[in-house]
Amino acid sequence: MALEKAKTDSVLGWEVHDHLKSLGLETPMTPNVKMLNKQKLSLIEDHFEKIMETLGLDLSDDSLEDTPKRVDKMYVNEIFYGLDYGNFPKCTQIDNKMGRNGSFVLEKNINVQSNCEHHFVVIDGFCHIAYIPNKKVLGISKLNRIVQFFAKRPQVQERLTEQIRATIQFVAQTEDVAVYVDAQHFCVKSRGIEDQNSRTVTLSVGGVFGDDISETRKEFLNLARMQ
Ligand SMILES: [Zn+2]
């Protein structure tokens, strides 16, 4: 579900958007992302109705008649709410009283439920995030919320991983961030090649985690691969 207003920060959200854009990491999008939800809902309902009609489905059937309405709500308010930076999570931070001692915070097994932008079907997996706090420490649940926000838009896994890494670097003001995503793509599982078991792993690292010989990087990768 989309976040309640009290838990969102659209000002920070649009700053994140500008930052990602400057890095070439933003999802290709048009000003339509700012269209009123009401307008998006009614347009998507119309278009989805046409898709169903074209497929030969009888929209007068009581099981099918409300499907276009259900799909528009699901797109705008649920699975694609992360296209709207008005829904960007508030990222409360506290002063880092422990100083910069080089040890990292690791959040493991964060749920990743997204949709691939090539087929609009499910990407299902998990993500591990580590970062070394600088002057501020992010509330742990904020990492989950940032992952969720970027997962809730049509995605490619590589860009999703980069967007999460760059956003945490920006919000927590530290270069030292590592993001590891392991997911199954239903467009590979249920269509095309129909491979049931293949998984895709992506890694995006910055700062000390990007240094091939650093112990911190090795430690993160060992912990990430340990279930
Ligand atoms: Zn796909």
mmCIF file of all heavy atoms in Angstrom, residues 122-163:
data_model
loop_
_atom_site.group_PDB
_atom_site.id
_atom_site.type_symbol
_atom_site.label_atom_id
_atom_site.label_comp_id
_atom_site.label_asym_id
_atom_site.label_seq_id
_atom_site.Cartn_x
_atom_site.Cartn_y
_atom_site.Cartn_z
ATOM 1 N N VAL A 122 5.891 -9.951 -12.352
ATOM 2 C CA VAL A 122 6.533 -9.853 -11.034
ATOM 3 C C VAL A 122 8.039 -10.141 -11.033
ATOM 4 O O VAL A 122 8.517 -11.040 -11.717
ATOM 5 C CB VAL A 122 5.804 -10.836 -10.075
ATOM 6 C CG1 VAL A 122 6.545 -10.996 -8.751
ATOM 7 C CG2 VAL A 122 4.385 -10.365 -9.838
ATOM 8 N N ILE A 123 8.743 -9.337 -10.231
ATOM 9 C CA ILE A 123 10.118 -9.636 -9.834
ATOM 10 C C ILE A 123 10.017 -9.875 -8.325
ATOM 11 O O ILE A 123 9.487 -9.029 -7.596
ATOM 12 C CB ILE A 123 11.066 -8.433 -10.078
ATOM 13 C CG1 ILE A 123 11.123 -8.042 -11.560
ATOM 14 C CG2 ILE A 123 12.458 -8.723 -9.540
ATOM 15 C CD1 ILE A 123 11.927 -6.754 -11.835
ATOM 16 N N ASP A 124 10.503 -11.016 -7.865
ATOM 17 C CA ASP A 124 10.304 -11.376 -6.461
ATOM 18 C C ASP A 124 11.635 -11.781 -5.850
ATOM 19 O O ASP A 124 12.271 -12.719 -6.329
ATOM 20 C CB ASP A 124 9.310 -12.555 -6.416
ATOM 21 C CG ASP A 124 9.028 -13.001 -5.002
ATOM 22 O OD1 ASP A 124 9.055 -12.152 -4.082
ATOM 23 O OD2 ASP A 124 8.789 -14.213 -4.810
ATOM 24 N N GLY A 125 12.061 -11.080 -4.822
ATOM 25 C CA GLY A 125 13.344 -11.440 -4.231
ATOM 26 C C GLY A 125 13.604 -10.732 -2.923
ATOM 27 O O GLY A 125 12.679 -10.348 -2.207
ATOM 28 N N PHE A 126 14.889 -10.573 -2.639
ATOM 29 C CA PHE A 126 15.265 -9.921 -1.385
ATOM 30 C C PHE A 126 16.527 -9.110 -1.622
ATOM 31 O O PHE A 126 17.193 -9.236 -2.655
ATOM 32 C CB PHE A 126 15.476 -10.962 -0.279
ATOM 33 C CG PHE A 126 16.483 -12.013 -0.627
ATOM 34 C CD1 PHE A 126 17.844 -11.799 -0.396
ATOM 35 C CD2 PHE A 126 16.085 -13.213 -1.212
ATOM 36 C CE1 PHE A 126 18.778 -12.766 -0.742
ATOM 37 C CE2 PHE A 126 17.018 -14.186 -1.563
ATOM 38 C CZ PHE A 126 18.370 -13.962 -1.324
ATOM 39 N N CYS A 127 16.829 -8.316 -0.636
ATOM 40 C CA CYS A 127 17.949 -7.388 -0.774
ATOM 41 C C CYS A 127 18.667 -7.251 0.565
ATOM 42 O O CYS A 127 18.037 -7.347 1.619
ATOM 43 C CB CYS A 127 17.301 -6.093 -1.274
ATOM 44 S SG CYS A 127 18.081 -4.568 -0.912
ATOM 45 N N HIS A 128 19.989 -7.099 0.508
ATOM 46 C CA HIS A 128 20.777 -6.820 1.710
ATOM 47 C C HIS A 128 21.441 -5.462 1.508
ATOM 48 O O HIS A 128 21.973 -5.191 0.428
ATOM 49 C CB HIS A 128 21.900 -7.842 1.903
ATOM 50 C CG HIS A 128 21.461 -9.269 1.835
ATOM 51 N ND1 HIS A 128 20.376 -9.758 2.529
ATOM 52 C CD2 HIS A 128 21.976 -10.330 1.155
ATOM 53 C CE1 HIS A 128 20.251 -11.049 2.275
ATOM 54 N NE2 HIS A 128 21.206 -11.425 1.435
ATOM 55 N N ILE A 129 21.436 -4.663 2.550
ATOM 56 C CA ILE A 129 22.043 -3.329 2.455
ATOM 57 C C ILE A 129 23.006 -3.114 3.610
ATOM 58 O O ILE A 129 22.672 -3.408 4.766
ATOM 59 C CB ILE A 129 20.969 -2.228 2.528
ATOM 60 C CG1 ILE A 129 20.027 -2.336 1.337
ATOM 61 C CG2 ILE A 129 21.605 -0.839 2.568
ATOM 62 C CD1 ILE A 129 18.890 -1.340 1.365
ATOM 63 N N ALA A 130 24.196 -2.617 3.305
ATOM 64 C CA ALA A 130 25.121 -2.208 4.361
ATOM 65 C C ALA A 130 25.539 -0.775 4.101
ATOM 66 O O ALA A 130 25.679 -0.357 2.951
ATOM 67 C CB ALA A 130 26.344 -3.114 4.373
ATOM 68 N N TYR A 131 25.718 -0.006 5.182
ATOM 69 C CA TYR A 131 26.293 1.333 5.024
ATOM 70 C C TYR A 131 27.056 1.704 6.284
ATOM 71 O O TYR A 131 26.794 1.179 7.370
ATOM 72 C CB TYR A 131 25.216 2.363 4.670
ATOM 73 C CG TYR A 131 24.405 2.887 5.826
ATOM 74 C CD1 TYR A 131 24.646 4.157 6.360
ATOM 75 C CD2 TYR A 131 23.394 2.117 6.403
ATOM 76 C CE1 TYR A 131 23.904 4.657 7.418
ATOM 77 C CE2 TYR A 131 22.656 2.605 7.467
ATOM 78 C CZ TYR A 131 22.909 3.869 7.969
ATOM 79 O OH TYR A 131 22.181 4.351 9.028
ATOM 80 N N ILE A 132 28.027 2.581 6.108
ATOM 81 C CA ILE A 132 28.783 3.077 7.255
ATOM 82 C C ILE A 132 28.283 4.484 7.556
ATOM 83 O O ILE A 132 28.450 5.392 6.742
ATOM 84 C CB ILE A 132 30.301 3.083 6.976
ATOM 85 C CG1 ILE A 132 30.755 1.667 6.607
ATOM 86 C CG2 ILE A 132 31.066 3.624 8.185
ATOM 87 C CD1 ILE A 132 32.225 1.545 6.263
ATOM 88 N N PRO A 133 27.619 4.667 8.719
ATOM 89 C CA PRO A 133 27.060 5.980 9.027
ATOM 90 C C PRO A 133 28.151 7.039 9.095
ATOM 91 O O PRO A 133 29.248 6.782 9.578
ATOM 92 C CB PRO A 133 26.406 5.784 10.398
ATOM 93 C CG PRO A 133 26.209 4.314 10.528
ATOM 94 C CD PRO A 133 27.323 3.680 9.760
ATOM 95 N N ASN A 134 27.794 8.223 8.605
ATOM 96 C CA ASN A 134 28.702 9.358 8.671
ATOM 97 C C ASN A 134 28.278 10.185 9.887
ATOM 98 O O ASN A 134 28.389 9.718 11.013
ATOM 99 C CB ASN A 134 28.601 10.114 7.342
ATOM 100 C CG ASN A 134 29.722 11.072 7.115
ATOM 101 O OD1 ASN A 134 30.606 11.212 7.950
ATOM 102 N ND2 ASN A 134 29.704 11.757 5.994
ATOM 103 N N LYS A 135 27.755 11.379 9.670
ATOM 104 C CA LYS A 135 27.347 12.224 10.813
ATOM 105 C C LYS A 135 25.976 11.823 11.352
ATOM 106 O O LYS A 135 25.641 12.083 12.492
ATOM 107 C CB LYS A 135 27.334 13.694 10.382
ATOM 108 C CG LYS A 135 28.729 14.238 10.068
ATOM 109 C CD LYS A 135 28.696 15.754 9.935
ATOM 110 C CE LYS A 135 30.070 16.335 9.685
ATOM 111 N NZ LYS A 135 30.534 16.177 8.281
ATOM 112 N N LYS A 136 25.176 11.192 10.471
ATOM 113 C CA LYS A 136 23.807 10.834 10.863
ATOM 114 C C LYS A 136 23.586 9.332 10.686
ATOM 115 O O LYS A 136 24.211 8.705 9.834
ATOM 116 C CB LYS A 136 22.805 11.584 9.968
ATOM 117 C CG LYS A 136 22.866 13.102 10.072
ATOM 118 C CD LYS A 136 22.068 13.605 11.241
ATOM 119 C CE LYS A 136 22.086 15.144 11.284
ATOM 120 N NZ LYS A 136 21.467 15.643 12.520
ATOM 121 N N VAL A 137 22.676 8.812 11.490
ATOM 122 C CA VAL A 137 22.293 7.407 11.360
ATOM 123 C C VAL A 137 20.832 7.369 10.916
ATOM 124 O O VAL A 137 19.980 8.017 11.519
ATOM 125 C CB VAL A 137 22.434 6.659 12.713
ATOM 126 C CG1 VAL A 137 22.082 5.188 12.559
ATOM 127 C CG2 VAL A 137 23.837 6.817 13.265
ATOM 128 N N LEU A 138 20.589 6.612 9.864
ATOM 129 C CA LEU A 138 19.212 6.456 9.360
ATOM 130 C C LEU A 138 18.478 5.435 10.216
ATOM 131 O O LEU A 138 19.062 4.409 10.586
ATOM 132 C CB LEU A 138 19.265 5.874 7.954
ATOM 133 C CG LEU A 138 19.185 6.751 6.728
ATOM 134 C CD1 LEU A 138 19.251 5.860 5.496
ATOM 135 C CD2 LEU A 138 17.903 7.566 6.715
ATOM 136 N N GLY A 139 17.201 5.711 10.521
ATOM 137 C CA GLY A 139 16.408 4.675 11.179
ATOM 138 C C GLY A 139 16.412 3.427 10.290
ATOM 139 O O GLY A 139 16.286 3.558 9.074
ATOM 140 N N ILE A 140 16.585 2.245 10.891
ATOM 141 C CA ILE A 140 16.717 1.007 10.114
ATOM 142 C C ILE A 140 15.535 0.793 9.157
ATOM 143 O O ILE A 140 15.721 0.448 7.999
ATOM 144 C CB ILE A 140 16.846 -0.228 11.051
ATOM 145 C CG1 ILE A 140 18.215 -0.212 11.749
ATOM 146 C CG2 ILE A 140 16.661 -1.531 10.298
ATOM 147 C CD1 ILE A 140 19.383 -0.652 10.896
ATOM 148 N N SER A 141 14.328 1.058 9.631
ATOM 149 C CA SER A 141 13.163 0.789 8.774
ATOM 150 C C SER A 141 13.168 1.686 7.532
ATOM 151 O O SER A 141 12.478 1.402 6.554
ATOM 152 C CB SER A 141 11.867 0.981 9.554
ATOM 153 O OG SER A 141 11.679 2.355 9.809
ATOM 154 N N LYS A 142 13.960 2.781 7.568
ATOM 155 C CA LYS A 142 14.016 3.674 6.401
ATOM 156 C C LYS A 142 14.669 2.971 5.219
ATOM 157 O O LYS A 142 14.351 3.244 4.068
ATOM 158 C CB LYS A 142 14.777 4.967 6.715
ATOM 159 C CG LYS A 142 14.263 5.713 7.922
ATOM 160 C CD LYS A 142 12.770 6.006 7.824
ATOM 161 C CE LYS A 142 12.246 6.511 9.144
ATOM 162 N NZ LYS A 142 10.802 6.395 9.276
ATOM 163 N N LEU A 143 15.610 2.069 5.513
ATOM 164 C CA LEU A 143 16.237 1.321 4.422
ATOM 165 C C LEU A 143 15.170 0.494 3.709
ATOM 166 O O LEU A 143 15.102 0.482 2.478
ATOM 167 C CB LEU A 143 17.355 0.415 4.955
ATOM 168 C CG LEU A 143 18.525 1.114 5.666
ATOM 169 C CD1 LEU A 143 19.491 0.085 6.229
ATOM 170 C CD2 LEU A 143 19.263 2.058 4.718
ATOM 171 N N ASN A 144 14.322 -0.188 4.513
ATOM 172 C CA ASN A 144 13.242 -0.983 3.917
ATOM 173 C C ASN A 144 12.308 -0.105 3.098
ATOM 174 O O ASN A 144 11.867 -0.484 2.013
ATOM 175 C CB ASN A 144 12.399 -1.668 5.000
ATOM 176 C CG ASN A 144 13.229 -2.540 5.911
ATOM 177 O OD1 ASN A 144 14.166 -2.048 6.560
ATOM 178 N ND2 ASN A 144 12.933 -3.818 5.945
ATOM 179 N N ARG A 145 12.020 1.081 3.625
ATOM 180 C CA ARG A 145 11.065 1.963 2.932
ATOM 181 C C ARG A 145 11.641 2.482 1.610
ATOM 182 O O ARG A 145 10.905 2.641 0.638
ATOM 183 C CB ARG A 145 10.687 3.141 3.829
ATOM 184 C CG ARG A 145 9.892 2.710 5.044
ATOM 185 C CD ARG A 145 8.850 3.745 5.394
ATOM 186 N NE ARG A 145 8.125 3.416 6.600
ATOM 187 C CZ ARG A 145 7.027 2.668 6.623
ATOM 188 N NH1 ARG A 145 6.541 2.185 5.484
ATOM 189 N NH2 ARG A 145 6.419 2.412 7.752
ATOM 190 N N ILE A 146 12.953 2.751 1.594
ATOM 191 C CA ILE A 146 13.582 3.218 0.346
ATOM 192 C C ILE A 146 13.544 2.090 -0.700
ATOM 193 O O ILE A 146 13.214 2.312 -1.865
ATOM 194 C CB ILE A 146 15.025 3.721 0.615
ATOM 195 C CG1 ILE A 146 14.972 5.040 1.402
ATOM 196 C CG2 ILE A 146 15.806 3.893 -0.686
ATOM 197 C CD1 ILE A 146 16.310 5.535 1.933
ATOM 198 N N VAL A 147 13.841 0.866 -0.262
ATOM 199 C CA VAL A 147 13.777 -0.286 -1.180
ATOM 200 C C VAL A 147 12.364 -0.420 -1.731
ATOM 201 O O VAL A 147 12.158 -0.559 -2.940
ATOM 202 C CB VAL A 147 14.173 -1.602 -0.458
ATOM 203 C CG1 VAL A 147 13.891 -2.818 -1.332
ATOM 204 C CG2 VAL A 147 15.641 -1.554 -0.040
ATOM 205 N N GLN A 148 11.391 -0.344 -0.813
ATOM 206 C CA GLN A 148 10.004 -0.509 -1.226
ATOM 207 C C GLN A 148 9.587 0.566 -2.237
ATOM 208 O O GLN A 148 8.921 0.265 -3.223
ATOM 209 C CB GLN A 148 9.122 -0.416 0.007
ATOM 210 C CG GLN A 148 7.967 -1.364 -0.026
ATOM 211 C CD GLN A 148 7.214 -1.309 1.280
ATOM 212 O OE1 GLN A 148 6.513 -0.328 1.557
ATOM 213 N NE2 GLN A 148 7.356 -2.347 2.090
ATOM 214 N N PHE A 149 9.991 1.806 -1.978
ATOM 215 C CA PHE A 149 9.616 2.900 -2.870
ATOM 216 C C PHE A 149 10.105 2.627 -4.298
ATOM 217 O O PHE A 149 9.336 2.723 -5.259
ATOM 218 C CB PHE A 149 10.188 4.236 -2.361
ATOM 219 C CG PHE A 149 9.888 5.394 -3.262
ATOM 220 C CD1 PHE A 149 8.639 6.006 -3.242
ATOM 221 C CD2 PHE A 149 10.830 5.858 -4.170
ATOM 222 C CE1 PHE A 149 8.347 7.063 -4.096
ATOM 223 C CE2 PHE A 149 10.544 6.916 -5.030
ATOM 224 C CZ PHE A 149 9.300 7.521 -4.989
ATOM 225 N N PHE A 150 11.377 2.269 -4.448
ATOM 226 C CA PHE A 150 11.904 2.067 -5.808
ATOM 227 C C PHE A 150 11.436 0.748 -6.426
ATOM 228 O O PHE A 150 11.431 0.610 -7.652
ATOM 229 C CB PHE A 150 13.426 2.185 -5.825
ATOM 230 C CG PHE A 150 13.878 3.605 -5.672
ATOM 231 C CD1 PHE A 150 14.408 4.066 -4.486
ATOM 232 C CD2 PHE A 150 13.711 4.503 -6.717
ATOM 233 C CE1 PHE A 150 14.783 5.396 -4.333
ATOM 234 C CE2 PHE A 150 14.072 5.843 -6.580
ATOM 235 C CZ PHE A 150 14.613 6.284 -5.382
ATOM 236 N N ALA A 151 11.036 -0.211 -5.582
ATOM 237 C CA ALA A 151 10.496 -1.461 -6.124
ATOM 238 C C ALA A 151 9.107 -1.236 -6.707
ATOM 239 O O ALA A 151 8.685 -1.953 -7.619
ATOM 240 C CB ALA A 151 10.453 -2.533 -5.036
ATOM 241 N N LYS A 152 8.408 -0.227 -6.176
ATOM 242 C CA LYS A 152 7.027 -0.006 -6.598
ATOM 243 C C LYS A 152 6.947 0.881 -7.839
ATOM 244 O O LYS A 152 6.338 1.956 -7.840
ATOM 245 C CB LYS A 152 6.213 0.596 -5.436
ATOM 246 C CG LYS A 152 6.120 -0.303 -4.226
ATOM 247 C CD LYS A 152 5.479 -1.638 -4.545
ATOM 248 C CE LYS A 152 5.434 -2.527 -3.321
ATOM 249 N NZ LYS A 152 5.123 -3.908 -3.672
ATOM 250 N N ARG A 153 7.634 0.455 -8.859
ATOM 251 C CA ARG A 153 7.544 1.076 -10.188
ATOM 252 C C ARG A 153 8.044 0.018 -11.161
ATOM 253 O O ARG A 153 8.743 -0.913 -10.756
ATOM 254 C CB ARG A 153 8.377 2.360 -10.274
ATOM 255 C CG ARG A 153 9.836 2.184 -9.892
ATOM 256 C CD ARG A 153 10.709 3.390 -10.222
ATOM 257 N NE ARG A 153 10.497 4.550 -9.371
ATOM 258 C CZ ARG A 153 11.227 5.666 -9.446
ATOM 259 N NH1 ARG A 153 12.209 5.757 -10.332
ATOM 260 N NH2 ARG A 153 10.996 6.681 -8.657
ATOM 261 N N PRO A 154 7.717 0.139 -12.436
ATOM 262 C CA PRO A 154 8.271 -0.822 -13.392
ATOM 263 C C PRO A 154 9.798 -0.719 -13.343
ATOM 264 O O PRO A 154 10.337 0.390 -13.329
ATOM 265 C CB PRO A 154 7.716 -0.335 -14.738
ATOM 266 C CG PRO A 154 6.484 0.448 -14.381
ATOM 267 C CD PRO A 154 6.813 1.110 -13.085
ATOM 268 N N GLN A 155 10.470 -1.856 -13.279
ATOM 269 C CA GLN A 155 11.911 -1.820 -13.024
ATOM 270 C C GLN A 155 12.715 -2.773 -13.893
ATOM 271 O O GLN A 155 12.188 -3.713 -14.479
ATOM 272 C CB GLN A 155 12.177 -2.216 -11.556
ATOM 273 C CG GLN A 155 12.075 -1.081 -10.566
ATOM 274 C CD GLN A 155 13.185 -0.033 -10.733
ATOM 275 O OE1 GLN A 155 13.999 -0.103 -11.662
ATOM 276 N NE2 GLN A 155 13.227 0.940 -9.847
ATOM 277 N N VAL A 156 14.020 -2.498 -13.960
ATOM 278 C CA VAL A 156 15.009 -3.510 -14.320
ATOM 279 C C VAL A 156 15.873 -3.642 -13.070
ATOM 280 O O VAL A 156 16.146 -2.649 -12.396
ATOM 281 C CB VAL A 156 15.857 -3.121 -15.563
ATOM 282 C CG1 VAL A 156 15.065 -3.277 -16.834
ATOM 283 C CG2 VAL A 156 16.377 -1.704 -15.472
ATOM 284 N N GLN A 157 16.265 -4.868 -12.765
ATOM 285 C CA GLN A 157 16.913 -5.108 -11.472
ATOM 286 C C GLN A 157 18.208 -4.308 -11.295
ATOM 287 O O GLN A 157 18.504 -3.818 -10.207
ATOM 288 C CB GLN A 157 17.175 -6.607 -11.314
ATOM 289 C CG GLN A 157 17.682 -6.966 -9.923
ATOM 290 C CD GLN A 157 17.849 -8.449 -9.728
ATOM 291 O OE1 GLN A 157 17.065 -9.248 -10.265
ATOM 292 N NE2 GLN A 157 18.847 -8.848 -8.953
ATOM 293 N N GLU A 158 18.976 -4.158 -12.380
ATOM 294 C CA GLU A 158 20.249 -3.427 -12.285
ATOM 295 C C GLU A 158 20.002 -1.983 -11.857
ATOM 296 O O GLU A 158 20.693 -1.459 -10.979
ATOM 297 C CB GLU A 158 20.968 -3.406 -13.650
ATOM 298 C CG GLU A 158 21.391 -4.766 -14.174
ATOM 299 C CD GLU A 158 20.278 -5.522 -14.912
ATOM 300 O OE1 GLU A 158 19.072 -5.225 -14.703
ATOM 301 O OE2 GLU A 158 20.619 -6.429 -15.693
ATOM 302 N N ARG A 159 19.009 -1.336 -12.490
ATOM 303 C CA ARG A 159 18.748 0.059 -12.146
ATOM 304 C C ARG A 159 18.159 0.191 -10.741
ATOM 305 O O ARG A 159 18.508 1.104 -9.998
ATOM 306 C CB ARG A 159 17.818 0.697 -13.181
ATOM 307 C CG ARG A 159 17.770 2.220 -13.052
ATOM 308 C CD ARG A 159 16.478 2.797 -13.588
ATOM 309 N NE ARG A 159 16.349 2.616 -15.008
ATOM 310 C CZ ARG A 159 15.264 2.064 -15.574
ATOM 311 N NH1 ARG A 159 14.258 1.668 -14.837
ATOM 312 N NH2 ARG A 159 15.212 1.921 -16.867
ATOM 313 N N LEU A 160 17.277 -0.746 -10.389
ATOM 314 C CA LEU A 160 16.714 -0.746 -9.033
ATOM 315 C C LEU A 160 17.844 -0.758 -7.994
ATOM 316 O O LEU A 160 17.845 0.031 -7.045
ATOM 317 C CB LEU A 160 15.813 -1.982 -8.851
ATOM 318 C CG LEU A 160 15.322 -2.278 -7.442
ATOM 319 C CD1 LEU A 160 14.384 -1.194 -6.923
ATOM 320 C CD2 LEU A 160 14.596 -3.636 -7.389
ATOM 321 N N THR A 161 18.812 -1.631 -8.200
ATOM 322 C CA THR A 161 19.933 -1.771 -7.259
ATOM 323 C C THR A 161 20.736 -0.466 -7.173
ATOM 324 O O THR A 161 21.091 -0.010 -6.083
ATOM 325 C CB THR A 161 20.846 -2.934 -7.724
ATOM 326 O OG1 THR A 161 20.025 -4.053 -8.045
ATOM 327 C CG2 THR A 161 21.839 -3.335 -6.651
ATOM 328 N N GLU A 162 20.985 0.151 -8.327
ATOM 329 C CA GLU A 162 21.733 1.414 -8.370
ATOM 330 C C GLU A 162 20.940 2.556 -7.722
ATOM 331 O O GLU A 162 21.506 3.404 -7.025
ATOM 332 C CB GLU A 162 22.031 1.817 -9.825
ATOM 333 C CG GLU A 162 22.882 0.830 -10.600
ATOM 334 C CD GLU A 162 24.371 1.015 -10.348
ATOM 335 O OE1 GLU A 162 24.794 2.161 -10.165
ATOM 336 O OE2 GLU A 162 25.082 0.009 -10.314
ATOM 337 N N GLN A 163 19.636 2.587 -7.985
ATOM 338 C CA GLN A 163 18.811 3.662 -7.408
ATOM 339 C C GLN A 163 18.803 3.585 -5.885
ATOM 340 O O GLN A 163 18.892 4.612 -5.205
ATOM 341 C CB GLN A 163 17.364 3.576 -7.938
ATOM 342 C CG GLN A 163 17.228 4.020 -9.396
ATOM 343 C CD GLN A 163 15.834 3.819 -9.968
ATOM 344 O OE1 GLN A 163 15.045 3.012 -9.458
ATOM 345 N NE2 GLN A 163 15.519 4.518 -11.042
#
